[in-house]
Amino acid sequence: MTVRERGALPKTTVLVVDDDLAVRELAAKIVAALGLEVLTAADGEAALALVREHGPAIGCVVLDLSMPGLGGKETLLELWRMHPELPVIVSSGHNEAEALESLPGQGRIDYLQKPFSAAALEARVRAALER
């Protein structure tokens, strides 16, 4: 069964935010294979600039928690200030409990453990977009 045979996703854009170029490129490739548009950012500041530019066209964000500069938590808070209903998938190499313990809105956040598989990322993106 191919990715597209699993059920059509809404036409939207996914923003992938990660300071690790290899992770960012891999995630972007996986998301693009779902038939979705992809934007990428290497840090929180760049991510927020893209959200300001593209606004409601962004349907979901995959956000690394550990980044230099504006970190994941601060970026998350600003994303939700700008777009309160924006689905966010938090990605981290820490275990889920550690990664999410200091984050607000835990019931609204999907978690993606690093390193992740294509299937795991696809499942999280699908869940976020189908909500």
Side-chain angles (χ1 to χ4, degrees):
M1 177 181 293
T2 67
V3 168
R4 291 199 178 135
E5 290 172 341
R6 291 187 186 126
L9 288 169
K11 289 294 177 194
T12 191
T13 300
V14 175
L15 173 58
V16 175
V17 187
D18 200 300
D19 61 314
D20 185 317
L21 177 62
V23 172
R24 197 168 60 244
E25 288 179 343
L26 174 63
K29 189 175 186 177
I30 294 166
V31 170
L34 296 172
L36 301 169
E37 296 295 320
V38 183
L39 296 171
T40 62
D43 58 43
E45 292 89 354
L48 296 175
L50 287 169
V51 171
R52 285 184 197 98
E53 181 181 344
H54 296 275
I58 297 174
C60 175
V61 177
V62 179
L63 177 65
D64 180 19
L65 273 185
S66 301
M67 297 181 293
L70 189 65
K73 180 179 179 180
E74 295 79 12
T75 302
L76 174 68
L77 292 172
E78 186 61 19
L79 286 170
W80 280 348
R81 188 192 67 71
M82 296 164 61
H83 298 283
E85 300 303 317
L86 184 62
V88 177
I89 302 164
V90 170
S91 179
S92 175
H94 298 286
N95 73 50
E96 185 172 359
E98 287 177 16
L100 299 181
E101 75 181 352
S102 68
L103 296 178
Q106 291 182 22
R108 298 172 47 201
I109 300 171
D110 284 315
Y111 180 75
L112 180 63
Q113 177 74 45
K114 285 183 180 179
F116 54 83
S117 66
L121 177 57
E122 177 186 343
R124 297 306 182 288
V125 169
R126 283 182 174 281
L129 294 176
E130 290 171 352
R131 261 189 257 139

